Amino acid sequence: MLPEILNDNATAAAVDAQFSAAVLGGEKQHGESTLFIDGAQIVAVCGFLKHDLKFVRVSSITAVDWLPADPRFVLVYHLHSLERNERIRLKVKLSGDNPEADSVTSVWRGANWYEREIFDLFGIRFRNHPNLTRILMPLDWEGHPLRKDYPVHGYKYSYPTE
């Protein structure tokens, strides 16, 4: 359901009209609108925004770890319509137990690297991603360094003393 503060935003109203069950809320901060989207509908909402509302650019995708809150993780999608020079932010909340979301690489190929970075640093998996492998950390790295429960100085390894 679209909050009253976003009633003057034509993009938010169009998304709410098309996907009323998917819009879980929203807010406006610093002149930028944010819609909270049901994770099961993120690909459909992003496809609508790209193809119908001309948000052809995914500026970034990132994640936030809100440990100890539940849901623990929030995915944040920054979208840009070059035609109208308009931006919108989408947020998807994810549980801390086995966090997963659908990949939006079928909508924007450029989402590939953002999703791999989130997987690498937060451990959030993306279903239907074409190549979900580490992108920044070594392949044998244990853990996800941007999680709030990751040790500040990394995991300590004990080496043989011989």
Side-chain angles (χ1 to χ4, degrees), residues 20-109:
S20 60
V23 178
L24 305 177
E27 61 191 15
K28 192 169 193 172
Q29 292 179 346
H30 310 292
E32 208 166 290
S33 299
T34 301
L35 294 176
F36 292 94
I37 304 296
D38 175 15
Q41 295 293 316
I42 191 63
V43 176
V45 170
C46 286
F48 174 74
L49 282 163
K50 180 181 180 184
H51 300 296
D52 294 324
L53 300 181
K54 307 301 183 204
F55 281 84
V56 295
R57 181 171 170 255
V58 56
S59 303
S60 71
I61 306 171
T62 191
V64 181
D65 184 353
W66 289 105
L67 184 74
D70 190 43
R72 177 177 176 175
F73 297 102
V74 176
L75 290 174
V76 184
Y77 300 80
H78 292 99
L79 310 180
H80 185 202
S81 169
L82 299 171
E83 193 174 288
R84 292 189 314 278
N85 194 26
E86 180 184 352
R87 298 175 191 275
I88 194 162
R89 182 183 306 115
L90 304 179
K91 291 186 178 182
V92 173
K93 296 180 179 182
L94 301 174
S95 166
D97 302 329
N98 192 27
E100 281 190 320
D102 291 324
S103 173
V104 295
T105 55
S106 62
V107 180
W108 296 285
R109 286 185 300 168

Side-chain angles (χ1 to χ4, degrees), residues 114-130:
Y114 295 125
E115 290 178 352
R116 286 179 62 193
E117 181 181 43
I118 293 166
F119 165 70
D120 194 3
L121 300 177
F122 289 93
I124 298 170
R125 300 190 68 75
F126 290 90
R127 292 181 290 272
N128 301 317
H129 191 281

